[in-house]
Amino acid sequence: MRVKDVNELVQTVFSGLSPLVVEDVVDEGERIVVRARTPQVTAVCPVCEAPSERVHGYHWRTVADVPVDERRVVVCVRVRRLVCPTRDCRHTFREQVPLLDRYQRRTTRLTRQVKAVVKELAGRAGARLLAILAVSLSRHTALRALLRIPLPTGRVPRAIGVDDFALRRRHRYATVIIDAETHERIDVLPDRTADTLEAWLREHPGIEIVCRDGSATYAEAIRRALPDAVQVADRWHVWHNLCEAALSEVKAHSACWATVLDAPIYDGPRAQTTLERWHQVHGLLDQGVGLLECARRLQLALNTVKRYARADRPERMLRVPKYRASLVDPYREHLRKRRADDPGVPVKHLFEEIKALGFTGCLNLLHKYINQGRADADRSHISPRRLARMLLTRPDNLKAEQHELLAKLTTTCPEMTQLAADIRDFAPLLTPHADNADALTRWITQVRAADLPHLHAFTRGLERDRDAVNSALTLPYSNGPTEGVNTKTKRIARQMHGRAGFTLLRHRILLG
């Protein structure tokens, strides 16, 4: 079928082909073929830029265009080859059309659409989506189109964020660098060594502020390459380290707050081994033996020996059992009352009763729940992690009953009271303010006056990186945007099933 009104069709459907003179449009069913030619205008030699109208010959170029009505569009263009009028220049040259890129089998507007798809979906996924859109493309061609997208080349920023991400977890890592103010991607380095980052920083002078996490490798590279730059620690990591120290303190004082809840302290074989090891470690320490030598003699890890050494009493090594949420928890009150009224009631009878109330678990689960003593407690069990979470949660976000429970548990011993006060005093420092550096000094002095060895370790970590921590608490910069880029990088890696090489992954990250 031939279309008669070609001019009207060009103005509506094929408006993107306006640089060409459309001579015919043929509907072949599965595809639409457009025959066109270049306009009879003067062409310019690409070497000497001399104009020419002398035609040497013609040849045809067949390219794909954007689909119409879910059908492929093929454009057959007659292109002129002209003679260059300049002596000693090339003899002939082929005229170039803005609509057609050199050596390409697609029009520029179709190429733009292909690049927009592969930029988000890359190879296989991009090829599958383009096939639905009536664009036939292999995954290899899709990747080539993706790698041909030019990367942005911006100015060297004043403040940058640096962080690492895993190319292969626990084996290979890379480094991403972003603009800390505009959050634009700047570069991706193939590893996370100090030498690589130092070389990059030396090649990009003008950087004044660097946001990073607690990595000593990055800190050393920045000190060597930019000794006058301000290093800013990540506030999230500072708070996270405090959370870990607070959780360790809560675990160390399990024997104190567990008595308020009538929660049992684990006293099985593992607890006996823990007590024996505590006496062994402190016995060697009392003799003047160093931590490393203690670890060698007792065949323990050095960090394990340090953990035992921090506990001044063996009771601080005992823990509350880690009970997870159970299907029996909703029926605990019923079980407690029945066992209080009739201590000899068979477990089988209790199982039938709660099963009638909607219990979906098995009899063995109920046996285990009762043998652990959880059915006879006045209140549900609370784990050290849950207590630490209440300590570290903003008070406005706690319910009234949680406030009451927290107040009761934190008054069981002076150390727990001091821990709650220290956390409450540190939280406001995470809001940047010019006076936070002095406030941090006072906070560290306050913590070291208390018997909280895990918080003491946290303060020592702050002192080792004090300048960067002070900058984090006083300046508005943060490494959070860099962590956000890492999150998106993980999505990109999962999307390609982890099979992307560094070159392709770097390209997609920088195009994000």
Side-chain angles (χ1 to χ4, degrees):
M1 178 186 71
R2 293 184 179 276
V3 181
K4 297 179 180 179
D5 195 351
V6 176
N7 292 330
E8 182 180 353
L9 190 61
V10 169
Q11 293 175 0
T12 55
V13 180
F14 300 111
S15 59
L17 301 179
S18 56
L20 303 175
V21 178
V22 178
E23 296 181 335
D24 197 8
V25 179
V26 180
D27 185 354
E28 295 184 353
E30 294 184 357
R31 69 175 188 171
I32 298 174
V33 179
V34 180
R35 292 188 176 89
R37 62 175 175 83
T38 57
Q40 301 297 325
V41 296
T42 301
V44 178
C45 176
V47 177
C48 64
E49 299 183 353
S52 175
E53 292 182 351
R54 182 182 172 187
V55 178
H56 177 271
Y58 300 92
H59 74 277
W60 290 88
R61 286 192 64 183
T62 302
V63 295
D65 195 22
V66 293
V68 173
D69 193 25
E70 297 184 353
R71 289 184 292 175
R72 293 189 301 117
V73 175
V74 178
V75 183
C76 299
V77 185
R78 193 185 69 171
V79 182
R80 297 177 298 168
R81 180 170 286 276
L82 300 104
V83 179
C84 179
T86 305
R87 192 169 221 175
D88 298 333
C89 187
R90 58 170 62 190
H91 183 60
T92 63
F93 65 91
R94 185 177 62 184
E95 65 177 334
Q96 299 299 322
V97 185
L99 183 66
L100 309 175
D101 293 330
R102 298 185 67 180
Y103 312 117
Q104 295 299 307
R105 302 299 298 271
R106 294 181 296 275
T107 60
T108 53
R109 60 177 183 170
L110 178 59
T111 301
R112 284 196 300 269
Q113 293 187 6
V114 169
K115 288 181 178 179
V117 172
V118 299
K119 178 182 175 181
E120 299 296 331
L121 300 178
R124 284 185 174 89
R128 287 195 296 268
L129 178 59
L130 289 169
I132 298 174
L133 301 176
V135 180
S136 179
L137 204 68
S138 70
R139 61 186 178 90
H140 302 288
T141 305
L143 291 180
R144 286 195 295 270
L146 172 61
L147 293 175
R148 276 196 293 268
I149 300 176
L151 296 175
T153 54
R155 60 177 179 81
V156 177
R158 173 175 162 273
I160 64 171
V162 181
D163 199 6
D164 62 329
F165 65 92
L167 297 173
R168 185 184 176 195
R169 190 179 295 274
R170 293 187 295 274
H171 290 83
R172 292 181 57 217
Y173 290 82
T175 300
V176 63
I177 303 173
I178 73 165
D179 189 330
E181 296 177 328
T182 64
H183 305 171
E184 296 177 1
R185 282 83 162 168
I186 303 299
D187 205 349
V188 180
L189 308 182
D191 54 47
R192 59 175 180 179
T193 61
D195 294 338
T196 302
L197 180 59
E198 179 186 0
W200 189 92
L201 292 174
R202 292 185 184 278
E203 294 172 1
H204 298 79
I207 297 174
E208 301 175 4
I209 299 173
V210 182
C211 303
R212 58 168 176 81
D213 56 14
S215 171
T217 301
Y218 288 157
E220 180 62 25
I222 298 167
R223 276 194 295 268
R224 294 199 304 238
L226 303 173
D228 297 330
V230 177
Q231 300 189 36
V232 181
D234 187 16
R235 287 189 292 273
W236 183 89
H237 282 92
V238 173
W239 178 252
H240 176 72
N241 293 339
L242 175 63
C243 294
E244 294 295 326
L247 176 59
S248 299
E249 290 293 350
V250 170
K251 290 180 178 178
H253 294 83
S254 296
C256 300
W257 55 264
T259 56
V260 178
L261 300 175
D262 295 331
I265 298 296
Y266 185 74
D267 57 355
R270 184 176 178 180
Q272 299 301 322
T273 302
T274 299
L275 295 177
E276 292 174 3
R277 284 182 177 175
W278 184 91
H279 288 289
Q280 292 173 351
V281 170
H282 280 265
L284 292 175
L285 293 176
D286 292 341
Q287 298 174 15
V289 180
L291 293 175
L292 189 60
E293 180 63 18
C294 288
R296 188 190 66 80
R297 292 187 186 184
L298 300 176
Q299 296 182 352
L300 298 174
L302 178 60
N303 288 337
T304 303
V305 175
K306 289 181 179 179
R307 182 162 54 87
Y308 279 96
R310 288 194 190 104
D312 58 349
R313 299 191 300 271
E315 294 79 13
R316 291 195 172 181
M317 298 302 299
L318 300 178
R319 300 290 183 261
V320 175
K322 296 181 180 180
Y323 294 146
R324 295 184 178 181
S326 173
L327 293 175
V328 190
D329 286 339
Y331 311 99
R332 184 178 56 81
E333 287 297 326
H334 176 79
L335 296 174
R336 189 174 67 85
K337 292 178 181 179
R338 288 284 289 116
R339 286 171 60 84
D341 297 339
D342 185 8
V345 59
V347 179
K348 180 69 174 177
H349 291 177
L350 296 175
F351 173 72
E352 296 295 339
E353 292 175 7
I354 62 174
K355 189 175 182 181
L357 296 175
F359 177 62
T360 58
C362 61
L363 180 61
N364 288 339
L365 182 62
L366 180 60
H367 268 292
K368 183 178 180 180
Y369 194 86
I370 293 175
N371 291 337
Q372 290 174 344
R374 301 170 66 181
D376 299 327
D378 293 336
R379 56 179 63 88
S380 59
H381 175 70
I382 180 172
S383 65
R385 187 170 295 274
R386 183 183 167 195
L387 175 55
R389 185 168 63 247
M390 287 194 295
L391 279 170
L392 296 160
T393 301
R394 188 188 298 269
D396 298 340
N397 296 335
L398 292 176
K399 299 178 181 178
E401 56 271 18
Q402 291 177 325
H403 276 289
E404 296 177 2
L405 179 60
L406 187 59
K408 185 179 297 185
L409 296 180
T410 53
T411 56
T412 54
C413 65
E415 289 80 8
M416 287 294 295
T417 305
Q418 185 63 40
L419 175 63
D422 291 339
I423 294 174
R424 188 167 55 249
D425 294 341
F426 186 84
L429 300 181
L430 296 177
T431 302
H433 192 274
D435 298 333
N436 282 349
D438 296 334
L440 179 62
T441 301
R442 293 191 297 269
W443 185 85
I444 292 176
T445 304
Q446 170 186 320
V447 168
R448 289 180 174 174
D451 185 16
L452 299 171
H454 295 92
L455 282 192
H456 294 173
F458 170 69
T459 58
R460 289 194 293 271
L462 294 180
E463 290 291 357
R464 282 194 295 269
D465 202 13
R466 184 62 187 273
D467 292 338
V469 173
N470 286 344
S471 300
L473 302 183
T474 56
L475 299 179
Y477 299 99
S478 171
N479 211 34
T482 318
E483 299 288 349
V485 172
N486 279 350
T487 301
K488 296 175 183 177
T489 299
K490 294 174 185 177
R491 175 185 62 82
I492 293 173
R494 286 194 299 267
Q495 187 184 66
M496 296 186 289
H497 306 287
R499 292 197 293 265
F502 174 75
T503 302
L504 177 59
L505 186 60
R506 175 180 181 271
H507 207 84
R508 291 199 66 191
I509 293 172
L510 296 180
L511 288 177

CSV table of all heavy atoms in Angstrom, one decimal, residues 307-336:
chain,number,residue,atom,x,y,z
A,307,ARG,N,37.9,-8.0,75.7
A,307,ARG,CA,36.5,-8.0,76.2
A,307,ARG,C,36.4,-8.5,77.6
A,307,ARG,O,35.7,-7.9,78.5
A,307,ARG,CB,35.6,-8.8,75.3
A,307,ARG,CG,34.1,-8.8,75.6
A,307,ARG,CD,33.3,-9.3,74.5
A,307,ARG,NE,33.7,-10.5,74.0
A,307,ARG,CZ,33.3,-11.7,74.4
A,307,ARG,NH1,32.4,-11.8,75.4
A,307,ARG,NH2,33.7,-12.8,73.9
A,308,TYR,N,37.2,-9.6,77.9
A,308,TYR,CA,37.2,-10.1,79.3
A,308,TYR,C,37.9,-9.1,80.2
A,308,TYR,O,37.6,-8.9,81.4
A,308,TYR,CB,37.9,-11.4,79.3
A,308,TYR,CG,37.0,-12.6,78.9
A,308,TYR,CD1,37.0,-13.1,77.6
A,308,TYR,CD2,36.2,-13.2,79.8
A,308,TYR,CE1,36.2,-14.1,77.3
A,308,TYR,CE2,35.4,-14.2,79.5
A,308,TYR,CZ,35.4,-14.7,78.2
A,308,TYR,OH,34.6,-15.8,77.8
A,309,ALA,N,39.0,-8.4,79.7
A,309,ALA,CA,39.7,-7.5,80.5
A,309,ALA,C,38.9,-6.3,80.9
A,309,ALA,O,39.2,-5.7,81.9
A,309,ALA,CB,41.0,-7.1,79.8
A,310,ARG,N,38.0,-5.9,80.0
A,310,ARG,CA,37.2,-4.7,80.4
A,310,ARG,C,36.2,-4.9,81.5
A,310,ARG,O,35.9,-4.0,82.2
A,310,ARG,CB,36.4,-4.3,79.1
A,310,ARG,CG,37.2,-3.7,78.0
A,310,ARG,CD,36.3,-3.0,77.0
A,310,ARG,NE,37.0,-2.6,75.8
A,310,ARG,CZ,36.9,-3.3,74.6
A,310,ARG,NH1,36.1,-4.3,74.5
A,310,ARG,NH2,37.6,-2.9,73.6
A,311,ALA,N,35.8,-6.2,81.7
A,311,ALA,CA,34.9,-6.5,82.8
A,311,ALA,C,35.6,-6.6,84.1
A,311,ALA,O,36.5,-7.5,84.3
A,311,ALA,CB,34.1,-7.8,82.5
A,312,ASP,N,35.3,-5.7,85.0
A,312,ASP,CA,36.0,-5.7,86.3
A,312,ASP,C,35.5,-6.8,87.3
A,312,ASP,O,36.1,-7.1,88.3
A,312,ASP,CB,35.9,-4.3,87.0
A,312,ASP,CG,34.5,-3.9,87.2
A,312,ASP,OD1,33.6,-4.6,86.6
A,312,ASP,OD2,34.3,-2.9,87.9
A,313,ARG,N,34.3,-7.3,87.0
A,313,ARG,CA,33.7,-8.4,87.8
A,313,ARG,C,33.2,-9.5,86.9
A,313,ARG,O,32.7,-9.2,85.8
A,313,ARG,CB,32.5,-7.8,88.6
A,313,ARG,CG,32.9,-6.7,89.6
A,313,ARG,CD,31.8,-6.4,90.6
A,313,ARG,NE,30.6,-6.0,89.9
A,313,ARG,CZ,30.3,-4.7,89.6
A,313,ARG,NH1,31.2,-3.8,89.9
A,313,ARG,NH2,29.2,-4.4,89.0
A,314,PRO,N,33.3,-10.7,87.3
A,314,PRO,CA,32.8,-11.8,86.4
A,314,PRO,C,31.3,-11.7,86.1
A,314,PRO,O,30.9,-12.2,85.1
A,314,PRO,CB,33.2,-13.1,87.2
A,314,PRO,CG,33.3,-12.6,88.7
A,314,PRO,CD,33.8,-11.2,88.6
A,315,GLU,N,30.5,-11.1,87.0
A,315,GLU,CA,29.1,-11.1,86.8
A,315,GLU,C,28.8,-10.3,85.5
A,315,GLU,O,27.7,-10.4,84.9
A,315,GLU,CB,28.4,-10.5,88.0
A,315,GLU,CG,28.4,-11.3,89.2
A,315,GLU,CD,29.8,-11.2,90.0
A,315,GLU,OE1,30.5,-10.3,89.6
A,315,GLU,OE2,30.0,-12.0,90.9
A,316,ARG,N,29.7,-9.4,85.1
A,316,ARG,CA,29.4,-8.5,84.0
A,316,ARG,C,29.6,-9.3,82.6
A,316,ARG,O,29.4,-8.7,81.6
A,316,ARG,CB,30.4,-7.3,84.0
A,316,ARG,CG,30.0,-6.3,85.1
A,316,ARG,CD,30.7,-5.0,84.9
A,316,ARG,NE,30.2,-4.0,85.8
A,316,ARG,CZ,30.6,-2.7,85.9
A,316,ARG,NH1,31.5,-2.3,85.0
A,316,ARG,NH2,30.1,-1.9,86.7
A,317,MET,N,30.1,-10.5,82.7
A,317,MET,CA,30.2,-11.3,81.5
A,317,MET,C,28.9,-12.2,81.3
A,317,MET,O,28.8,-12.8,80.2
A,317,MET,CB,31.4,-12.2,81.6
A,317,MET,CG,32.7,-11.5,81.7
A,317,MET,SD,33.0,-10.4,80.3
A,317,MET,CE,33.0,-11.5,78.9
A,318,LEU,N,28.1,-12.2,82.3
A,318,LEU,CA,26.8,-13.0,82.1
A,318,LEU,C,25.8,-12.3,81.4
A,318,LEU,O,25.7,-11.1,81.4
A,318,LEU,CB,26.3,-13.4,83.5
A,318,LEU,CG,27.3,-14.2,84.4
A,318,LEU,CD1,26.6,-14.5,85.8
A,318,LEU,CD2,27.7,-15.5,83.7
A,319,ARG,N,25.0,-13.0,80.6
A,319,ARG,CA,24.0,-12.4,79.7
A,319,ARG,C,22.6,-12.9,79.9
A,319,ARG,O,22.5,-14.1,80.4
A,319,ARG,CB,24.4,-12.6,78.2
A,319,ARG,CG,25.8,-12.1,77.9
A,319,ARG,CD,25.8,-10.6,77.8
A,319,ARG,NE,27.1,-10.0,77.4
A,319,ARG,CZ,28.0,-9.5,78.2
A,319,ARG,NH1,27.8,-9.6,79.5
A,319,ARG,NH2,29.1,-9.0,77.8
A,320,VAL,N,21.7,-12.1,79.5
A,320,VAL,CA,20.3,-12.6,79.5
A,320,VAL,C,20.1,-13.4,78.3
A,320,VAL,O,20.6,-13.1,77.2
A,320,VAL,CB,19.3,-11.4,79.5
A,320,VAL,CG1,17.9,-11.8,79.4
A,320,VAL,CG2,19.5,-10.5,80.8
A,321,PRO,N,19.4,-14.6,78.4
A,321,PRO,CA,19.2,-15.4,77.2
A,321,PRO,C,18.5,-14.6,76.0
A,321,PRO,O,17.7,-13.8,76.3
A,321,PRO,CB,18.3,-16.5,77.7
A,321,PRO,CG,18.5,-16.6,79.1
A,321,PRO,CD,18.8,-15.2,79.6
A,322,LYS,N,18.9,-14.9,74.8
A,322,LYS,CA,18.4,-14.2,73.6
A,322,LYS,C,17.1,-14.9,73.2
A,322,LYS,O,17.2,-15.8,72.4
A,322,LYS,CB,19.4,-14.2,72.5
A,322,LYS,CG,20.7,-13.4,72.9
A,322,LYS,CD,21.6,-13.4,71.7
A,322,LYS,CE,22.9,-12.6,72.0
A,322,LYS,NZ,23.8,-12.6,70.9
A,323,TYR,N,16.0,-14.6,73.8
A,323,TYR,CA,14.7,-15.1,73.4
A,323,TYR,C,14.1,-14.3,72.2
A,323,TYR,O,14.0,-13.1,72.4
A,323,TYR,CB,13.8,-15.2,74.5
A,323,TYR,CG,14.2,-16.1,75.6
A,323,TYR,CD1,13.9,-15.8,77.0
A,323,TYR,CD2,14.9,-17.3,75.4
A,323,TYR,CE1,14.3,-16.6,78.0
A,323,TYR,CE2,15.3,-18.1,76.4
A,323,TYR,CZ,15.0,-17.8,77.7
A,323,TYR,OH,15.4,-18.6,78.7
A,324,ARG,N,13.8,-15.0,71.2
A,324,ARG,CA,13.1,-14.3,70.1
A,324,ARG,C,11.6,-14.3,70.3
A,324,ARG,O,11.1,-15.0,71.1
A,324,ARG,CB,13.4,-14.9,68.7
A,324,ARG,CG,14.9,-14.8,68.4
A,324,ARG,CD,15.2,-15.4,67.0
A,324,ARG,NE,16.5,-15.3,66.6
A,324,ARG,CZ,17.0,-15.7,65.4
A,324,ARG,NH1,16.2,-16.3,64.5
A,324,ARG,NH2,18.3,-15.5,65.1
A,325,ALA,N,10.9,-13.5,69.5
A,325,ALA,CA,9.4,-13.5,69.6
A,325,ALA,C,8.9,-14.9,69.2
A,325,ALA,O,9.4,-15.5,68.3
A,325,ALA,CB,8.9,-12.4,68.6
A,326,SER,N,7.9,-15.3,69.9
A,326,SER,CA,7.4,-16.7,69.8
A,326,SER,C,5.9,-16.6,69.5
A,326,SER,O,5.2,-15.7,69.8
A,326,SER,CB,7.7,-17.5,71.0
A,326,SER,OG,7.0,-18.8,70.9
A,327,LEU,N,5.4,-17.7,68.8
A,327,LEU,CA,4.0,-17.8,68.6
A,327,LEU,C,3.2,-17.9,69.9
A,327,LEU,O,2.0,-17.7,69.9
A,327,LEU,CB,3.7,-19.0,67.6
A,327,LEU,CG,4.2,-18.9,66.2
A,327,LEU,CD1,4.0,-20.2,65.5
A,327,LEU,CD2,3.6,-17.7,65.5
A,328,VAL,N,3.9,-18.3,70.9
A,328,VAL,CA,3.2,-18.5,72.2
A,328,VAL,C,3.0,-17.2,73.0
A,328,VAL,O,2.2,-17.1,73.9
A,328,VAL,CB,4.0,-19.5,73.1
A,328,VAL,CG1,3.2,-19.9,74.3
A,328,VAL,CG2,4.4,-20.7,72.3
A,329,ASP,N,3.7,-16.1,72.6
A,329,ASP,CA,3.7,-14.9,73.3
A,329,ASP,C,2.3,-14.3,73.5
A,329,ASP,O,1.9,-13.9,74.6
A,329,ASP,CB,4.6,-13.8,72.7
A,329,ASP,CG,6.0,-14.1,72.9
A,329,ASP,OD1,6.4,-14.8,73.9
A,329,ASP,OD2,6.9,-13.6,72.1
A,330,PRO,N,1.4,-14.4,72.5
A,330,PRO,CA,0.0,-13.8,72.7
A,330,PRO,C,-0.8,-14.6,73.8
A,330,PRO,O,-1.8,-14.0,74.3
A,330,PRO,CB,-0.6,-13.9,71.3
A,330,PRO,CG,0.5,-13.9,70.4
A,330,PRO,CD,1.6,-14.7,71.1
A,331,TYR,N,-0.4,-15.8,74.1
A,331,TYR,CA,-1.1,-16.6,75.1
A,331,TYR,C,-0.4,-16.8,76.4
A,331,TYR,O,-0.8,-17.7,77.2
A,331,TYR,CB,-1.4,-18.0,74.4
A,331,TYR,CG,-1.9,-17.9,73.0
A,331,TYR,CD1,-1.1,-18.1,71.9
A,331,TYR,CD2,-3.3,-17.7,72.8
A,331,TYR,CE1,-1.5,-18.0,70.6
A,331,TYR,CE2,-3.7,-17.5,71.5
A,331,TYR,CZ,-2.9,-17.7,70.4
A,331,TYR,OH,-3.3,-17.6,69.1
A,332,ARG,N,0.6,-15.9,76.6
A,332,ARG,CA,1.4,-16.0,77.9
A,332,ARG,C,0.6,-15.8,79.1
A,332,ARG,O,0.7,-16.5,80.1
A,332,ARG,CB,2.6,-15.1,77.8
A,332,ARG,CG,3.5,-15.2,79.0
A,332,ARG,CD,4.7,-14.2,78.8
A,332,ARG,NE,4.2,-12.8,78.6
A,332,ARG,CZ,3.8,-12.1,79.7
A,332,ARG,NH1,3.8,-12.5,80.9
A,332,ARG,NH2,3.3,-10.8,79.4
A,333,GLU,N,-0.3,-14.8,79.1
A,333,GLU,CA,-1.2,-14.5,80.2
A,333,GLU,C,-2.1,-15.7,80.6
A,333,GLU,O,-2.3,-16.0,81.7
A,333,GLU,CB,-2.0,-13.2,80.0
A,333,GLU,CG,-1.2,-11.9,80.0
A,333,GLU,CD,-0.6,-11.7,81.4
A,333,GLU,OE1,-1.2,-12.1,82.4
A,333,GLU,OE2,0.6,-11.2,81.5
A,334,HIS,N,-2.6,-16.3,79.5
A,334,HIS,CA,-3.5,-17.4,79.8
A,334,HIS,C,-2.7,-18.6,80.4
A,334,HIS,O,-3.2,-19.2,81.4
A,334,HIS,CB,-4.1,-17.9,78.5
A,334,HIS,CG,-5.0,-19.1,78.6
A,334,HIS,ND1,-6.3,-19.1,79.1
A,334,HIS,CD2,-4.7,-20.4,78.3
A,334,HIS,CE1,-6.8,-20.3,79.1
A,334,HIS,NE2,-5.8,-21.2,78.6
A,335,LEU,N,-1.5,-18.8,79.9
A,335,LEU,CA,-0.7,-19.9,80.5
A,335,LEU,C,-0.3,-19.6,81.9
A,335,LEU,O,-0.3,-20.5,82.8
A,335,LEU,CB,0.5,-20.1,79.6
A,335,LEU,CG,0.3,-20.6,78.1
A,335,LEU,CD1,1.6,-20.6,77.4
A,335,LEU,CD2,-0.3,-22.0,78.1
A,336,ARG,N,0.1,-18.3,82.2
A,336,ARG,CA,0.5,-18.0,83.5
A,336,ARG,C,-0.6,-18.2,84.5
A,336,ARG,O,-0.4,-18.7,85.6
A,336,ARG,CB,1.0,-16.5,83.5
A,336,ARG,CG,1.7,-16.1,84.8
A,336,ARG,CD,2.2,-14.7,84.7
A,336,ARG,NE,1.2,-13.7,84.5
A,336,ARG,CZ,0.6,-13.1,85.6
A,336,ARG,NH1,0.9,-13.5,86.8
A,336,ARG,NH2,-0.4,-12.2,85.4
